[in-house]
């Protein structure tokens, strides 16, 4: 599986350092707010698990699974809810945890849904940001790394369901998806 990776962009150590830094910021910003932290399944699972353990205040966790009717390489923007939240967001400070923001379609849709449901505030924490491809004016409040315009996998991010278990984020060799 490692031989399908062209280049490692962010090592396990770099990711842990960024989680530590963002966790410290979030601890400060969400002191006394008891936010609801929402993990967008499945890509954000690793990031969620690591970052919440660096947040040292009261937080509640919930999970949402959305499908964006895209192909394997990009989203389409019309988001369908596969698994909704268990907890109501009404009046809550909400923090969405995502793996990557690309065109911004998925998060634009999700953020407006949560605002429509009367969340008190909606902020976005993403491990990766690919600003070159942005179509929606959505800017994440907390960003781990800005990535170049390449298709990346690992640390939760998949290609056709695989590679999520790689402990680092890397660029997939184009030969892997060109043969499909
Ligand atoms: P957006 O709606 O912002 O265009 O797309 C966000 C979703 O598209 C991500 O949650 C992810 O599922 C997928 N995506 C976008 N870029 C990449 C990438 O480089 N690698 C992987 N594995 N998924 C991506
Ligand atoms: Mg995602
Ligand atoms: Mg995917």
């Amino acid at each position: 599986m490692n031989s399908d990776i062209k280049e490692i962009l962010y090592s396990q150590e770099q990711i842990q350092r960024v989680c530590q830094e963002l966790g410290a910021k979030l601890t400060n910003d969400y002191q006394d707010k008891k936010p609801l932290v929402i993990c967008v399944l499945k890509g954000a699972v690793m990031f969620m698990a690591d970052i919440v353990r660096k947040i040292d205040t009261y937080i509640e966790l919930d999970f949402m699974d959305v499908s964006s009717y895209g192909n394997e390489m990009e989203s389409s923007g019309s988001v369908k809810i596969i698994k909704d939240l268990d907890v109501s967001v009404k009046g809550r400070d909400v923090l969405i945890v995502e793996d990557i923001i690309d065109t911004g379609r998925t998060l634009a849709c999700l953020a407006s849904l949560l605002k429509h449901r009367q969340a008190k505030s909606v902020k976005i924490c993403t491990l990766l940001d690919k600003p070159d491809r942005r179509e929606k004016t959505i800017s994440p409040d907390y960003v781990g790394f800005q990535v170049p315009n390449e298709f990346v996998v690992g640390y939760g991010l998949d290609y056709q369901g695989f590679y999520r278990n790689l402990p680092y984020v890397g660029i997939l060799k184009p030969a892997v998806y060109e043969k499909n």
Side-chain angles (χ1 to χ4, degrees):
M1 190 170 62
N2 284 277
S3 62
D4 293 349
I5 303 302
K6 185 168 87 175
E7 185 191 333
I8 295 179
L9 282 181
Y10 309 112
S11 68
Q12 231 173 323
E13 293 72 26
Q14 285 173 294
I15 295 170
Q16 288 313 310
R17 214 174 305 134
V18 138
C19 287
Q20 180 73 56
E21 287 165 13
L22 290 177
K25 267 193 210 142
L26 290 164
T27 300
N28 187 54
D29 294 356
Y30 283 96
Q31 207 59 241
D32 306 319
K33 292 196 165 145
K34 297 192 167 73
L36 180 65
V37 182
I38 299 174
C39 171
V40 185
L41 295 169
K42 303 171 185 150
V45 159
M46 311 291 172
F47 184 42
M48 173 82 160
D50 283 339
I51 201 159
V52 294
R53 284 179 287 175
K54 306 292 183 197
I55 304 176
D56 185 17
T57 187
Y58 296 94
I59 61 173
E60 196 177 352
L61 311 188
D62 206 347
F63 299 84
M64 211 168 170
D65 192 2
V66 298
S67 128
S68 55
Y69 289 121
N71 57 27
E72 300 91 6
M73 311 289 291
E74 62 175 8
S75 73
S76 70
S78 57
V79 172
K80 179 182 163 197
I81 298 173
I82 308 291
K83 186 230 171 278
D84 208 336
L85 299 169
D86 294 334
V87 167
S88 166
V89 298
K90 193 171 178 181
R92 300 287 301 266
D93 289 299
V94 168
L95 179 71
I96 304 174
V97 176
E98 247 295 27
D99 52 356
I100 186 166
I101 306 184
D102 187 27
T103 63
R105 293 173 195 154
T106 307
L107 272 187
C109 201
L110 206 55
S112 73
L113 173 71
L114 299 178
K115 281 179 196 147
H116 176 77
R117 290 180 178 177
Q118 298 178 299
K120 185 172 167 194
S121 69
V122 179
K123 292 204 170 172
I124 296 164
C125 175
T126 188
L127 176 69
L128 307 174
D129 186 16
K130 224 193 249 184
D132 289 355
R133 302 231 322 148
R134 196 71 94 254
E135 288 173 15
K136 298 279 178 185
T137 48
I138 188 153
S139 50
D141 303 278
Y142 304 90
V143 177
F145 306 97
Q146 287 210 345
V147 277
N149 190 7
E150 303 259 16
F151 190 77
V152 297
V153 294
Y155 193 69
L157 291 115
D158 76 308
Y159 174 62
Q160 295 191 333
F162 293 105
Y163 307 103
R164 293 193 199 276
N165 56 321
L166 289 172
Y168 53 79
V169 172
I171 300 172
L172 193 62
K173 283 183 185 163
V176 175
Y177 47 83
E178 277 160 8
K179 73 184 173 210
N180 285 305

